[in-house]
Amino acid sequence: MFRPPKALWVVADGAYATAPFLTPVNALGVRVVSRLRKDAALWTEPGPRRPGPRGRRRISGDRRMSLAERAGQKGGWSTGTFDLYGKATVKRYKTFVATWRPAGGAIRVVRVDEPTGWRAYFCTDPAATVADILTRVAGRFTLEATFRDLKHVVGAGQQQVRRLPANVGAFHVCLWTFVMTEAWAWNATPDALVGHRATAPWDDAARRPSHADKRRGWRRELQGKEIRAALRPGMTEAEIQAAAERLLDLAA
């Protein structure tokens, strides 16, 4: 069986917090962090083994644990500062170890008090810290933002092709377009990417450049090169006409 040379962490959507996913991943020694349903059937940890005939060790205790009841209790809350979304963020939380059958045993549970209500996360490694869990949950947000930009900015999923290989190819083109745009903007200054916001006073000028800003900046650079090429001295009428057609295609 494959064993990773280093500790691997998988941060998954709550839809993957099920036994069919967790069981084989746990068997590989991979730590999983994900959302925990508020009605998850949690149990206490099993007590010490009692003397007598040895059998299969229980994976859970005999007392049911309610996330909602624990969240409603006034005591047990802690406050900590964590590096989330690129800045120090203060979070109010509760944490404890419980057993959960889909995970096959003990998990580390973290309940976080948010302005919109509490949320619960878990890790299949009971020894994981609150910082381990919350920083990885926050890190997953960048992936969500990437998928959003791929769909709404690049146009992934909007291709109109019939066969599966064509859909796969079109999606790969969208992925490469996204990567190439990010690579082009890697060393660009924010001012060079958000200059167009001066014409939109309702926009937040201090907001960091989005992928749409980077895409627009690259397009402006390409169009600028076309214009400068068209203005060079000594161009023939045919070359000027061809350059004008290319500029119209870019503008359209």
Side-chain angles (χ1 to χ4, degrees), residues 64-248:
R64 180 74 178 268
M65 304 174 70
S66 171
L67 276 173
E69 290 181 2
R70 286 192 167 231
Q73 296 173 359
K74 295 183 178 180
W77 290 97
S78 300
T79 302
T81 302
F82 307 94
D83 185 11
L84 308 178
Y85 310 110
K87 61 181 180 180
T89 306
V90 177
K91 290 291 184 181
R92 184 169 174 261
Y93 66 89
K94 288 184 179 182
T95 183
F96 58 90
V97 176
T99 56
W100 190 40
R101 188 167 297 276
I107 59 173
R108 166 67 60 183
V109 180
V110 177
R111 282 194 318 279
V112 183
D113 189 16
E114 301 286 1
T116 57
W118 63 271
R119 295 181 182 179
Y121 306 97
F122 76 93
C123 179
T124 53
D125 181 6
T129 66
V130 176
D132 289 334
I133 297 173
L134 295 187
T135 54
R136 284 169 171 81
V137 169
R140 185 180 175 275
F141 177 77
T142 58
L143 182 61
E144 296 288 349
T146 298
F147 284 144
R148 179 200 61 200
D149 290 337
L150 280 171
K151 290 187 292 184
H152 297 294
V153 180
V154 182
Q158 300 178 21
Q159 58 271 9
Q160 298 183 12
V161 291
R162 295 183 178 181
R163 299 185 180 277
L164 177 60
N167 278 277
V168 173
F171 191 75
H172 272 267
V173 170
C174 292
L175 290 175
W176 277 110
T177 301
F178 181 91
V179 172
M180 292 172 65
T181 303
E182 291 291 328
W184 170 85
W186 186 262
N187 293 320
T189 62
D191 292 340
L193 297 174
V194 299
H196 62 280
R197 292 181 186 171
T199 60
W202 57 86
D203 199 354
D204 183 6
R207 176 172 56 86
R208 68 181 180 86
S210 64
H211 183 75
D213 293 329
K214 299 171 184 177
R215 187 179 178 91
R216 186 180 293 108
W218 197 9
R219 187 184 298 118
R220 286 173 60 87
E221 180 180 284
L222 293 174
Q223 290 176 342
K225 290 181 178 179
E226 290 282 345
I227 293 173
R228 286 188 290 272
L231 295 178
R232 77 176 189 272
M235 289 190 67
T236 64
E237 184 176 348
E239 289 176 329
I240 294 175
Q241 182 65 29
E245 292 295 333
R246 289 197 303 272
L247 291 175
L248 287 173

Side-chain angles (χ1 to χ4, degrees), residues 16-40:
Y16 291 90
T18 59
F21 173 75
L22 295 175
T23 299
V25 173
N26 284 338
L28 296 175
V30 177
R31 297 175 176 89
V32 178
V33 175
S34 183
R35 283 282 297 271
L36 187 65
R37 288 172 57 101
K38 294 185 177 182
D39 60 351

